Amino acid sequence: MAEVVSPVPGAGRREPGEVGRARGPPAADCGAALCPQGEIIEGCRLPVLRRNQDNEDEWPLAEILSVKDISGRKLFYVHYIDFNKRLDEWVTHERLDLKKIQFPKKEAKTPTKNGLPGSRPGSPEREVKRKVEVVSPATPVPSETAPASVFPQNGSARRAVAAQPGRKRKSNCLGTDEDSQDSSDGIPSAPRMTGSLVSDRSHDDIVTRMKNIECIELGRHRLKPWYFSPYPQELTTLPVLYLCEFCLKYGRSLKCLQRHLTKCDLRHPPGNEIYRKGTISFFEIDGRKNKSYSQNLCLLAKCFLDHKTLYYDTDPFLFYVMTEYDCKGFHIVGYFSKEKESTEDYNVACILTLPPYQRRGYGKLLIEFSYELSKVEGKTGTPEKPLSDLGLLSYRSYWSQTILEILMGLKSESGERPQITINEISEITSIKKEDVISTLQYLNLINYYKGQYILTLSEDIVDGHERAMLKRLLRIDSKCLHFTPKDWSKRGKW
């Protein structure tokens, strides 16, 4: 997804030269005698100086992905090990700790994966680490139809819930691992050419691991891309790539953009406007009818989505673009895509809020809108896995708030505790049952007491939810939605 919906606080990028040196002897002086500059090659690993979110110097281990020479000065493109790729950057020689350099392992043959050559034969061995939430087999899994009592519902008798023995609750599962919700046990052998946009990471090479666009100008915003995007090769050397904010066509220069704007008559995305409330609108775009716009949208989105791949065949997809209106037109804020026909109940393939609009509630609004469409379709839905770290943050938050809103709104009958089943929660919210169960377990709400499941709302959970809902000002109004679902299985061709 994005899938990127809201950024991690403090996780910024710095250009070479912005990071000051750490206290102590300069890194270049301590190791230059042991390892001359000319010996630093692709695949080497060594500590690199960077600033963390607390504005403190640190020396995380990084891998050299590429080396280039500009006017006799070498620059090194580094990937910080165990950090998200959006923090990758070009650094100068002064920021390298050459004393602790690790040279690539020499191998007789190029390593292969699924019969395909690896991205770089000399690189140190890398493993895909997957974090999994562990639920002990001794912990009972709630039935989807068995009612669970909600305790307590009213009064001041709320109590904190002690963690059940055998249940390990991840404290950092939201923002560290892109594949933390991947349902598969391993990397798929090959991606589907239609339908899923999940990337097959085994085909990554040195080109796609590096950011290739320096800067994008979109309307009144300048965006710094996070990841590689397959724009034409001749555009990757430009200091700025100019995009029309209405049709998303790209140009080499500001003059090209200005000439295009005199001819472009679009002031909103193509397609049908299916929702409008205040300045917020949603447009439904068919990937077959508006192929050019859909392809340009995918190119732009790939700059900020690492875990999705891009295919130029956009026919099997619908795109829902959220815009903000002013006197100049409808400006793109974010979007999500979905398959016209999904055999796995996916209601979102890719989802993205553009960086200038992040941390303002638009991410949850996109998610809420996707579930509102599922309600109209009479289905339950789930986002395509794996979610990105930022996408997982937003979905966990949305699921938690939506489910807690249902539980806290239950009324007790004849003095008994209110009861509700997993199926009922799923039907009310259109959230898939598996996501409901995982969210209840994540919140540590499910307890087994005297032969039945109870959902215990602690004081901290209730207070935290009430504070969060006070901040959530943007909501979808179902009365403003004008949407008629289509049965794509009966259509001869999309």
Side-chain angles (χ1 to χ4, degrees):
M1 111 150 100
E3 204 171 309
V4 178
V5 191
S6 64
V8 176
R13 297 181 304 283
R14 292 180 177 267
E15 294 297 319
E18 285 188 308
V19 180
R21 293 186 181 181
R23 286 185 289 271
D29 295 340
C30 5
L34 296 176
C35 178
Q37 179 175 338
E39 293 185 10
I40 303 175
I41 59 174
E42 296 174 5
C44 288
R45 290 189 175 191
L46 73 171
V48 177
L49 178 62
R50 72 180 294 273
R51 287 271 179 88
N52 61 21
Q53 59 265 34
D54 298 322
N55 207 29
E56 298 172 346
D57 291 339
E58 61 180 6
W59 293 85
L61 184 64
E63 180 181 352
I64 304 291
L65 298 185
S66 183
V67 182
K68 68 180 179 181
D69 194 309
I70 299 180
S71 302
R73 189 186 191 197
K74 280 195 184 300
L75 293 177
F76 305 89
Y77 191 86
V78 299
H79 166 65
Y80 299 102
I81 308 301
D82 296 329
F83 284 72
N84 192 282
K85 279 169 57 178
R86 62 177 165 270
L87 299 179
D88 295 0
E89 59 180 337
W90 290 98
V91 301
T92 58
H93 184 258
E94 289 76 23
R95 291 172 57 183
L96 308 179
D97 184 357
L98 302 177
K99 269 190 173 180
K100 300 179 181 179
I101 191 169
Q102 304 171 19
F103 287 99
K105 296 178 182 178
K106 293 183 179 179
E107 298 179 10
K109 295 182 179 179
T110 302
T112 60
K113 185 178 289 185
N114 299 330
L116 296 171
S119 60
R120 186 169 49 256
S123 298
E125 189 174 347
R126 295 184 294 275
E127 296 180 356
V128 177
K129 298 180 180 179
R130 298 184 182 274
K131 298 182 180 179
V132 182
E133 283 192 83
V134 181
V135 179
S136 169
T139 305
V141 178
S143 167
E144 295 166 359
T145 55
S149 297
V150 181
F151 174 81
Q153 169 59 24
N154 42 35
S156 57
R158 294 170 178 149
R159 60 181 176 84
V161 180
Q164 290 185 336
R167 175 180 292 162
K168 297 181 181 178
R169 183 179 175 189
K170 270 191 350 181
S171 60
N172 61 343
C173 68
L174 291 189
T176 56
D177 185 30
E178 287 195 355
D179 297 330
S180 57
Q181 276 213 340
D182 193 355
S183 58
S184 61
D185 294 328
I187 297 175
S189 58
R192 289 187 285 166
M193 293 306 293
T194 59
S196 175
L197 289 181
V198 173
S199 175
D200 178 12
R201 305 309 298 274
S202 64
H203 294 175
D204 278 1
D205 56 28
I206 191 61
V207 175
T208 60
R209 291 184 67 194
M210 294 172 54
K211 304 169 194 173
N212 59 336
I213 302 295
E214 184 68 25
C215 181
I216 291 176
E217 183 170 304
L218 181 69
R220 60 180 180 273
H221 301 291
R222 283 208 167 184
L223 315 177
K224 200 81 171 174
W226 294 354
Y227 306 110
F228 169 87
S229 182
Y231 279 102
Q233 180 67 30
E234 61 269 19
L235 302 179
T236 60
T237 57
L238 302 173
V240 179
L241 180 63
Y242 294 89
L243 266 61
C244 171
E245 63 177 324
F246 301 114
C247 70
L248 302 183
K249 288 184 179 177
Y250 44 83
R252 298 177 59 90
S253 65
L254 181 59
K255 190 171 184 178
C256 289
L257 175 64
Q258 291 170 342
R259 187 166 60 245
H260 165 79
L261 289 175
T262 61
K263 304 173 185 176
C264 182
D265 55 359
L266 277 180
R267 288 299 175 265
H268 58 77
N272 300 321
E273 185 180 9
I274 60 174
Y275 179 91
R276 182 188 293 186
K277 184 175 183 181
T279 59
I280 301 297
S281 292
F282 279 86
F283 291 82
E284 182 184 55
I285 297 158
D286 190 322
R288 182 181 70 85
K289 295 179 180 177
N290 303 104
K291 190 181 293 286
S292 176
Y293 181 89
S294 301
Q295 290 174 351
N296 289 333
L297 178 61
C298 289
L299 284 170
L300 173 62
K302 185 62 186 70
C303 291
F304 305 100
L305 295 174
D306 180 40
H307 61 294
K308 300 290 184 183
T309 190
L310 179 126
Y311 293 106
Y312 286 95
D313 180 16
T314 58
D315 289 13
F317 292 93
L318 294 169
F319 298 84
Y320 295 91
V321 178
M322 178 168 63
T323 64
E324 200 173 50
Y325 175 77
D326 65 15
C327 59
K328 295 183 179 179
F330 295 79
H331 309 280
I332 180 171
V333 171
Y335 89 105
F336 68 88
S337 59
K338 63 186 290 188
E339 296 178 68
K340 293 175 179 176
E341 290 184 274
S342 175
T343 57
E344 301 176 63
D345 296 329
Y346 291 140
N347 64 354
V348 165
C350 292
I351 184 168
L352 170 70
T353 304
L354 291 174
Y357 298 95
Q358 291 176 357
R359 298 191 62 79
R360 292 166 57 181
Y362 289 117
K364 277 199 186 71
L365 200 67
L366 280 166
I367 296 172
E368 186 178 2
F369 190 78
S370 70
Y371 282 106
E372 205 63 45
L373 296 183
S374 295
K375 290 176 185 178
V376 176
E377 293 170 341
K379 301 176 182 176
T380 59
T382 188
E384 194 170 297
K385 311 299 191 302
L387 291 168
S388 69
D389 54 349
L390 305 184
L392 182 56
L393 268 172
S394 293
Y395 266 96
R396 282 288 195 199
S397 178
Y398 173 78
W399 288 334
S400 300
Q401 290 179 9
T402 303
I403 292 171
L404 286 172
E405 202 170 27
I406 296 295
L407 298 180
M408 292 175 63
L410 293 175
K411 305 295 182 183
S412 59
E413 297 179 4
S414 63
E416 296 183 359
R417 298 170 189 162
Q419 295 191 346
I420 192 169
T421 66
I422 299 294
N423 274 343
E424 287 171 345
I425 296 175
S426 180
E427 289 170 7
I428 294 170
T429 61
S430 282
I431 299 173
K432 203 171 182 181
K433 292 189 287 276
E434 291 79 3
D435 295 330
V436 173
I437 294 171
S438 70
T439 303
L440 291 173
Q441 290 175 336
Y442 170 76
L443 293 172
N444 206 15
L445 297 184
I446 300 179
N447 290 271
Y448 196 69
Y449 180 70
K450 291 185 178 180
Q452 67 172 343
Y453 292 100
I454 61 171
L455 303 177
T456 310
L457 303 181
S458 68
E459 191 74 40
D460 290 342
I461 290 285
V462 173
D463 292 344
H465 172 70
E466 289 174 348
R467 286 195 302 269
M469 295 307 290
L470 288 175
K471 297 178 183 177
R472 190 172 163 188
L473 304 177
L474 295 175
R475 299 298 298 268
I476 293 297
D477 185 352
S478 58
K479 296 176 183 176
C480 299
L481 176 63
H482 304 282
F483 170 69
T484 304
K486 299 181 180 69
D487 186 358
W488 296 100
S489 63
K490 295 181 180 178
R491 305 171 77 90
K493 188 177 180 181
W494 296 322

